[in-house]
Structure formats: C-alpha cells, structure tokens
Amino acid sequence: KLKQFNDEIETMRLELGETLIGLKTRQKRLDNILEKASDEAQTLDDFEEKYAEFKAAESKKRLNVKLSTEFKEFKQEMVTNNSTRNDDAETVELDENDNDNICSMYDPWTKGLMMNPVRNIKCGHHYDRDSVMAIIKDNLSVRCPIVGCASKTYVQPNQLVLNEALQKRIRVFKAQQDRDAECESEDGD
C-alpha cells in the first residue's frame, strides 16, 4: 500500500510540476506579447489592437511542456530523488513541539543519511550541517534545494539551527540498520 501511495504521490507531483511549468511558460509568453505590443503601439487603441493580434497568434501556437528543458530537469530531479530513497524509512515523525512533524532523514544535497541535521529557520527544511556549510562556504547565493520551497532567501549559516530530536531519531535508525546488517551477515555465514 505504501508503494502504491508513493507512486500516486509521484504522479501527482509530476502533473503539478507540468502545470506549474506550463503556467510559467504562458506567463513569459504573455509578458513578451505585452512588451512587443507596447513597443510597436503609439496609442492605447493601437496597443489594444496589437495585443489582441499578438495574443491570437500566440494562442495558435502549441505548448508541449513535457518537451521543455525545465520540465525535463524537474522530472530528472524527481527520478534522482526517488532512486536514492530508502523505501523502508525515508521520513521520521518529530515531536509536536517541532514546526513540522515529518521530515526526511536524508540530506537533499548529498542524498546521504544526515548525521548533524540542521533546520533552516526561514523555510523549515533540514540539511546535513557538513554538506550545507561546504556548499555555502564558497557561494553565498544558494537557496534551499527542496523542490517547491517557497523561501526565496539565500541559505545563511546564522539561519541554521541544530535539530537534536531529529539527530536522535537518525542515530536510533542508524543503529537499527547496523543491527539488521549484522544479523543478515551472521545468517549468511
């Protein structure tokens, strides 16, 4: 059931991504039409005529979002994220006093299990401290890597706070994985 649910969510995310990219593309086209009509028009009536003419011509053009570079990159990122997931336990539930009750135990940049999880106070997403610090050390214009993150601010070291509850849960999870691996290797001997 969980696999089916994950597949449904992935399909919905692809559809929503396609819709969003389609809307962005249409908006860019409309902005270009407005600019072009504004440049060519001398009067308001002239502008309205030019805008209607350009818009009619634009509406005849087909828009296939799935062929756009942006959609291909979005889809590739989703495939990459899904292939690196651990289906047994990708997310953990946190205590009620945390801002978000469910988050991934895997770093969005390295895709590895976080050992020192920090929470970005601007958007609430979690990263591994070592990976985020290595990335922002050389480039201060890095935004949150989570697809769909609403935060437009750059990730800054002073915005990152240690999440001890998540760190504890990850350590328990890692210990359980190690025990399971030991049991499997003993059974194989």
Side-chain angles (χ1 to χ4, degrees), residues 15-176:
E15 290 170 358
L16 291 172
E18 181 180 354
T19 301
L20 178 64
I21 293 167
L23 289 171
K24 286 171 59 177
T25 304
R26 285 184 191 91
Q27 183 62 45
K28 286 178 189 174
R29 288 181 176 185
L30 287 174
D31 288 344
N32 290 337
I33 290 171
L34 279 172
E35 189 174 325
K36 188 175 176 184
S38 176
D39 290 344
E40 294 184 15
Q42 301 297 323
T43 65
L44 181 59
D45 291 335
D46 201 21
F47 171 79
E48 289 174 350
E49 287 177 27
K50 295 280 186 192
Y51 178 76
E53 176 186 327
F54 294 145
K55 189 174 179 185
E58 186 65 39
S59 66
K60 292 178 183 175
K61 293 180 183 178
R62 292 183 56 176
L63 175 65
N64 190 347
V65 175
K66 291 182 179 178
L67 297 178
S68 73
T69 304
E70 189 175 3
F71 181 77
K72 289 176 182 177
E73 289 172 356
F74 173 75
K75 188 173 180 179
Q76 180 61 39
E77 186 173 337
M78 283 196 55
V79 168
T80 302
N81 287 342
N82 287 338
S83 67
T84 59
R85 283 186 180 162
N86 179 345
D87 289 335
D88 294 332
E90 176 197 354
T91 58
V92 294
E93 292 187 26
L94 301 176
D95 298 331
E96 284 77 28
N97 58 359
D98 284 332
N99 289 342
D100 51 351
N101 292 335
I102 298 178
C103 70
S104 176
M105 294 190 294
Y106 295 91
D107 180 64
W109 278 293
T110 64
K111 309 299 187 227
L113 194 62
M114 292 186 280
M115 291 292 114
N116 296 309
V118 291
R119 185 176 61 84
N120 185 336
I121 60 173
K122 293 294 183 180
C123 65
H125 292 121
H126 292 83
Y127 327 113
D128 186 76
R129 180 169 197 73
D130 298 335
S131 69
V132 71
M133 294 307 280
I135 290 169
I136 64 176
K137 171 180 80 169
D138 298 326
N139 185 2
L140 291 176
S141 59
V142 174
R143 290 194 172 104
C144 179
I146 305 296
V147 176
C149 180
S151 177
K152 299 297 179 204
T153 61
Y154 297 123
V155 177
Q156 300 295 320
N158 63 345
Q159 299 170 350
L160 304 173
V161 294
L162 180 65
N163 188 327
E164 293 175 8
L166 179 57
Q167 187 176 35
K168 182 178 177 183
R169 299 261 176 126
I170 290 172
R171 286 185 178 154
V172 168
F173 173 74
K174 180 88 170 107
Q176 182 63 42

Side-chain angles (χ1 to χ4, degrees), residues 1-17:
K1 285 184 177 182
L2 186 59
K3 173 85 170 114
Q4 180 184 3
F5 179 72
N6 282 337
D7 291 343
E8 289 174 10
I9 294 295
E10 183 178 337
T11 302
M12 287 173 48
R13 289 181 72 190
L14 277 173
E15 290 170 358
L16 291 172

